[in-house]
């Protein structure tokens, strides 16, 4: 069973979340609830959950304030929020999950399943999360990449390209370092969509900052900073050309 705590200042939200968990996630056991960051901090010092549902914005202290005061966390965290704002970007890049209110059944079940198979230690996730949160007015600085052996934390700017490998993604970094990640290319296409990455082929996502030259052809080819030459599909050519228009 997954021992779970709910922290949210809205009674209706806690009641709704409790009901959904009891009905759709029978392997989750709720061991405590709190209506504020202060009460939640006290509860977490008394109880050790496997999973925490944490509201982002609460009166007299946010969920982030609570985590700051708590220090080291040994449990997985799913943020809940009604505000799709800057914090969500940081959450996505560090592999912590979040749910937008009102919480839907499919999203809840997916988030719980992801938390239960989480590979990156919470401390590493939170460190990356806070690093990215401090850069909320600019690009996210780091991303946590889950691997078969554990996880890697890399700077987004070092990613040259990503290549699909069935249900995995091969990351190629500066210096030709390679990391095989246990997530699909589609997930990273969505994650990196605002950070200069372009899907130029069914199997390839590239960092535009690492493009050295374009070679004409049916769809053409791009040469990247690692000297790899990647085919551009015909239907993606226009998108690539628009990105590099002077």
């Amino acid at each position: 069973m997954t021992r779970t705590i709910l922290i949210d200042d809205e009674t209706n939200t806690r009641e709704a979340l409790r009901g959904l968990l009891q009905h759709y996630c029978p392997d989750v056991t709720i061991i405590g609830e709190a209506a504020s960051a202060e009460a939640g901090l006290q509860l977490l010092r008394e109880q050790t959950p496997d999973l925490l549902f944490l509201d982002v914005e609460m009166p007299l202290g946010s969920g982030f304030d609570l985590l700051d005061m708590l220090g080291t966390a040994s449990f997985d965290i799913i943020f809940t929020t009604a505000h799709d704002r800057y914090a969500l970007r940081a959450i996505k890049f560090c592999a912590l999950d979040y749910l937008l209110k009102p919480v839907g059944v499919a999203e809840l079940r997916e988030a719980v399943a992801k938390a239960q198979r989480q590979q990156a230690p919470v401390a590493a996730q939170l460190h990356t999360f806070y690093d990215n949160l401090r850069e909320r007015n600019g690009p996210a600085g780091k991303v946590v990449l889950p691997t078969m052996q554990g996880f890697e934390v890399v700077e987004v700017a070092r990613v040259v390209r990503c290549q699909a490998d069935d249900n995995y993604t091969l990351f190629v970094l500066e210096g030709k370092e390679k990391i095989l990640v246990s997530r699909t290319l589609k997930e990273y296409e969505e994650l990196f969509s605002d950070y200069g990455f372009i899907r130029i082929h069914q199997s390839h996502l590239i960092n535009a900052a690492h493009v050295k030259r374009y070679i004409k052809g049916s769809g053409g080819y791009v040469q990247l900073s690692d000297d790899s030459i990647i085919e551009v599909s015909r239907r993606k050519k226009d998108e690539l050309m628009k990105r590099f228009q002077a």
Side-chain angles (χ1 to χ4, degrees), residues 9-116:
D9 66 296
E10 298 176 354
T11 302
N12 290 343
T13 297
R14 293 199 313 277
E15 290 177 348
L17 185 54
R18 186 192 318 122
L20 289 174
L21 287 169
Q22 290 172 344
H23 190 75
Y24 295 102
C25 303
D27 57 343
V28 169
T29 299
I30 298 172
I31 62 172
E33 299 183 21
S36 69
E38 182 180 4
L41 179 63
Q42 182 61 38
L43 178 59
L44 288 170
R45 285 173 173 168
E46 297 172 352
Q47 299 275 0
T48 303
D50 302 307
L51 176 62
L52 170 65
F53 284 87
L54 180 61
D55 190 10
V56 171
E57 296 191 7
M58 296 179 285
L60 305 177
S62 70
F64 307 143
D65 294 330
L66 184 156
L67 294 176
D68 270 337
M69 292 185 289
L70 183 65
T72 302
S74 59
F75 43 80
D76 291 314
I77 302 167
I78 297 175
F79 288 104
T80 59
T81 179
H83 306 281
D84 189 1
R85 302 199 304 184
Y86 66 86
L88 301 189
R89 178 173 65 190
I91 293 168
K92 289 179 181 180
F93 272 86
C94 70
L96 293 169
D97 213 339
Y98 71 95
L99 296 169
L100 289 176
K101 302 175 184 178
V103 176
V105 173
E107 292 81 5
L108 175 63
R109 296 179 70 173
E110 181 180 352
V112 169
K114 184 186 294 185
Q116 290 173 333

Side-chain angles (χ1 to χ4, degrees), residues 200-241:
I200 62 168
H201 189 276
Q202 181 179 357
S203 301
H204 295 283
L205 178 69
I206 65 169
N207 186 342
H210 286 276
V211 173
K212 291 174 63 176
R213 61 176 54 88
Y214 172 74
I215 304 164
K216 290 182 178 180
S218 177
Y221 301 84
V222 291
Q223 183 176 6
L224 303 175
S225 62
D226 66 344
D227 290 326
S228 60
I229 296 177
I230 310 297
E231 180 183 2
V232 180
S233 69
R234 283 183 293 177
R235 65 187 184 89
K236 292 292 186 178
K237 180 179 178 179
D238 289 345
E239 181 182 346
L240 180 69
M241 294 298 100

Side-chain angles (χ1 to χ4, degrees), residues 162-181:
C162 307
Q163 181 175 340
D165 186 357
D166 292 327
N167 290 324
Y168 293 82
T169 299
L170 178 66
F171 273 68
V172 180
L173 311 181
E174 292 175 333
K176 298 188 178 182
E177 178 184 355
K178 296 181 179 180
I179 301 173
L180 187 62
V181 178

Side-chain angles (χ1 to χ4, degrees), residues 116-211:
Q116 290 173 333
R117 64 175 182 265
Q118 196 68 261
Q119 293 175 307
V122 173
Q125 291 176 294
L126 288 176
H127 181 75
T128 304
F129 166 71
Y130 281 116
D131 281 350
N132 289 342
L133 192 60
R134 295 185 191 100
E135 300 180 31
R136 61 178 177 269
N137 294 321
K142 300 176 183 177
V143 60
V144 174
L145 302 179
T147 68
M148 296 298 291
Q149 295 74 35
F151 72 97
E152 299 278 348
V153 178
V154 305
E155 295 180 2
V156 176
R158 291 192 60 226
V159 179
V160 176
R161 60 188 176 93
C162 307
Q163 181 175 340
D165 186 357
D166 292 327
N167 290 324
Y168 293 82
T169 299
L170 178 66
F171 273 68
V172 180
L173 311 181
E174 292 175 333
K176 298 188 178 182
E177 178 184 355
K178 296 181 179 180
I179 301 173
L180 187 62
V181 178
S182 52
R183 287 189 180 176
T184 66
L185 186 63
K186 180 175 176 57
E187 291 182 71
Y188 288 106
E189 179 185 8
E190 296 171 354
L191 185 62
F192 293 148
S193 61
D194 295 330
Y195 299 93
F197 285 71
I198 312 169
R199 184 78 173 262
I200 62 168
H201 189 276
Q202 181 179 357
S203 301
H204 295 283
L205 178 69
I206 65 169
N207 186 342
H210 286 276
V211 173

